[in-house]
């Protein structure tokens, strides 16, 4: 079974000079939450994916 990396929402790269000729690079990655993305997709498609409706309770 292979795992997929999470979908990337945004990437930010910051470069700063902290003095003395020293440079710092910071990389920030923001990823989407897969569960909420799937829930939003189902909602937009008119599907209801609640546990009670799928189990018949």
């Amino acid at each position: 079974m292979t795992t997929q990396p999470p979908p990337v929402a945004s990437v930010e790269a910051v470069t700063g000079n902290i003095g003395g000729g020293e440079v710092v690079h910071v990389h920030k990655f923001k990823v989407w939450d897969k569960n909420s993305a799937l829930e939003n997709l189902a909602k937009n498609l008119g599907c209801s994916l609640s546990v009670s409706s799928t189990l018949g309770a």
Side-chain angles (χ1 to χ4, degrees), residues 24-38:
V24 176
H25 302 283
V26 178
H27 303 282
K28 300 178 184 180
F29 296 91
K30 187 182 288 187
V31 295
W32 294 109
D33 178 31
K34 287 183 180 182
N35 290 333
S36 65
L38 290 173

Side-chain angles (χ1 to χ4, degrees), residues 4-56:
Q4 295 180 355
V8 176
S10 66
V11 176
E12 180 181 355
V14 179
T15 302
N17 187 349
I18 60 172
E22 192 171 347
V23 178
V24 176
H25 302 283
V26 178
H27 303 282
K28 300 178 184 180
F29 296 91
K30 187 182 288 187
V31 295
W32 294 109
D33 178 31
K34 287 183 180 182
N35 290 333
S36 65
L38 290 173
E39 288 174 5
N40 287 335
L41 176 63
K43 183 190 295 184
N44 287 330
L45 293 175
C47 300
S48 175
L49 295 178
S50 66
V51 173
S52 61
S53 67
T54 56
L55 295 177

